[in-house]
Amino acid sequence: MTDEFTVPVYYDDDANSDVIADKTVAVLGYGSQGHAHAQNLDDSGIDVIVGLRQSSDSWTQAENDGLRVATPDDAAAEADIVSMLVPDTVQPAVFEAISDGLEEGDTLQFAHGFNIHYNQIQPPEGVDVTMIAPKTPGHLLRRNYVEDTGTPALLAVYQNTTGEAKEEALAYAQAIGCTRAGVVETTFREEVETDLFGEQAVLCGGITSLIKKGYETLVDAGYSPEMAYFECLNEMKLIVDLMYEGGMAEMWNSVSDTAEYGGLAVGPEIVDESVRENMDEALEAVQNGEFAREWIAENQAGRPSYTQLYRADRNHDIEEVGARLRALFSWAEEEAPEEAEAPADD
Ligand code: NAD
Ligand code: MG
């Protein structure tokens, strides 16, 4: 552990692999996170059983990867640790199917806290409830493990009946390769609320709205869609890469003085205090459960609004222009091997 941060961060030395060495882990789901957890645990010498519906295409996939597979209820009954890695929206139903297999002293583990925090899953007493949430998509969790680097993760304990919940979660994090990079301790509440806020206001929602509004402003003013696409969407990656490498300061240092002055002077007038007020509202809806209730009801009703929003989004001009331009310029990636080292698929 290190004292350099405001929150505890754990590394390999803080984890004790003996804690899970003799345990069986049921990994429910074999999607993005599931396949990576299952294979990393297996390579770390942990007994793994993948839990899938009999109809699932992933069943043979997991078997071909050398793993044992059973139905979720059979897998959970056999396991000491049940890792819930099916989509968040189906977790409550899967939990109903497996809850009989959770014995006293077992652990129910998550990679995201939504269903626990918003009471969609009520775990039995006597069971530990923990979270190890890798901060990357599953294919990178797997790749980093194989390449002997690591993937940062969040750790949280919601219910600790054995007294060993945190130690066990740390050992699990080590077995999937996360303590190599650092495991940050948080709570279910903090993980859920910051995650939902971030994806709505800044990452997925905020940035796409900003790009679209910029694109529409240029196109409506008579500029070509191609120019608007390059300026507002394509160049975003270059700017984000610079911030990722060296913070905003490195980005400002790399652009021209004109860009730096214009950005500093005009940016806050675009994303202004009214946007900040909108962000406060979005955060409040996350904190008071309003967003969660809306999303749960939306799923129960068969996703009518989601379907509408999704269609409208995919039909936006920017997608059509983008598809044409990316096809035209795909030669650039193939002929520039030094570019190929950057993760291209996130
Ligand atoms: P996913 O959609 O990639 O995979 C879901 C898997 O569950 C598939 O194998 C599917 O066949 C299986 N499945 C679906 N319905 C099922 C059912 N009724 N019974 C049994 N299996 C079923 O899911 P994911 O993105 O890996 O998400 C899993 C968890 O990890 C979620 O809690 C998510 O929030 C969390 N998480 C995801 C990421 C990510 O990058 N994808 C990152 C961190 C945390
Ligand atoms: Mg069990």
Side-chain angles (χ1 to χ4, degrees):
M1 207 173 109
T2 159
D3 309 324
E4 283 171 57
F5 303 105
T6 60
V7 290
V9 183
Y10 301 101
Y11 296 95
D12 268 338
D13 286 348
D14 302 306
N16 175 7
S17 56
D18 294 347
V19 181
I20 62 163
D22 298 326
K23 293 190 173 166
T24 297
V25 179
V27 174
L28 306 185
Y30 203 67
S32 176
Q33 290 293 317
H35 90 283
H37 287 233
Q39 292 183 34
N40 292 3
L41 287 163
D42 184 57
D43 285 352
S44 292
I46 311 290
D47 184 32
V48 174
I49 178 162
V50 175
L52 288 171
R53 291 166 297 181
Q54 238 135 13
S55 60
S56 172
D57 292 339
S58 304
W59 189 297
T60 22
Q61 181 63 51
E63 280 183 342
N64 289 342
D65 292 336
L67 298 162
R68 265 196 311 145
V69 187
T71 57
D73 55 327
D74 285 345
E78 193 184 322
D80 310 294
I81 300 172
V82 177
S83 207
M84 184 62 97
L85 299 176
V86 298
D88 296 298
T89 47
V90 308
Q91 287 182 9
V94 170
F95 174 75
E96 287 309 315
I98 62 120
S99 60
D100 283 350
L102 291 172
E103 294 153 83
E104 210 157 304
D106 280 357
T107 298
L108 183 59
Q109 181 162 279
F110 294 86
H112 177 43
F114 187 98
N115 288 301
I116 289 291
H117 181 61
Y118 293 117
N119 295 316
Q120 299 306 294
I121 289 177
Q122 273 142 2
E125 284 171 29
V127 165
D128 287 350
V129 181
T130 58
M131 170 165 48
I132 291 297
K135 294 306 283 175
T136 65
H139 69 282
L140 285 181
L141 177 66
R142 179 61 185 155
R143 190 198 297 165
N144 292 344
Y145 181 94
V146 170
E147 291 177 357
D148 215 20
T149 54
T151 302
L154 303 178
L155 173 153
V157 174
Y158 176 79
Q159 194 163 285
N160 181 9
T161 48
T162 64
E164 286 185 353
K166 184 164 145 183
E167 241 192 315
E168 189 190 80
L170 260 181
Y172 183 103
Q174 182 179 49
I176 62 171
C178 293
T179 46
R180 293 176 199 163
V183 174
V184 177
E185 188 166 2
T186 182
T187 61
F188 273 64
R189 171 172 178 255
E190 185 178 58
E191 185 271 335
V192 171
E193 293 180 353
T194 56
D195 185 68
L196 294 182
F197 173 78
E199 67 200 15
Q200 291 172 16
V202 181
L203 305 173
C204 312
I207 200 171
T208 51
S209 288
L210 185 70
I211 289 171
K212 271 194 217 162
K213 291 230 166 11
Y215 173 89
E216 288 164 4
T217 301
L218 287 176
V219 171
D220 288 353
Y223 299 98
S224 77
E226 289 81 3
M227 285 294 288
Y229 177 87
F230 273 123
E231 195 55 43
C232 299
L233 191 150
N234 193 67
E235 284 191 32
M236 183 67 78
K237 173 168 165 44
L238 312 174
I239 296 299
V240 170
D241 282 350
L242 290 169
M243 292 195 287
Y244 184 84
E245 283 165 22
M248 295 192 196
E250 179 169 322
M251 185 278 289
W252 290 127
N253 287 340
S254 302
V255 299
S256 70
D257 289 355
T258 313
E260 182 167 15
Y261 172 72
L264 290 169
V266 182
E269 289 175 9
I270 304 291
V271 180
D272 63 3
E273 277 308 300
S274 70
V275 173
R276 178 57 210 276
E277 282 162 27
N278 295 338
M279 286 186 173
D280 283 336
E281 268 178 45
L283 181 58
E284 204 179 309
V286 165
Q287 289 171 330
N288 66 22
E290 196 185 314
F291 173 76
R293 282 192 294 279
E294 177 187 318
W295 176 225
I296 291 159
E298 178 68 16
N299 278 290
Q300 283 164 351
R303 301 188 165 187
S305 308
Y306 182 11
T307 309
Q308 250 181 3
L309 290 166
Y310 176 95
R311 290 213 181 108
D313 182 78
R314 297 309 188 279
N315 287 330
H316 194 283
D317 286 352
I318 197 169
E319 292 293 24
E320 190 263 322
V321 176
R324 265 194 292 122
L325 286 173
R326 288 191 303 271
L328 198 60
F329 287 101
S330 59
W331 55 269
E333 279 168 32
E334 281 155 31
E335 289 190 4
E338 70 275 17
E339 287 285 302
E341 281 178 28
D345 41 3
D346 301 296

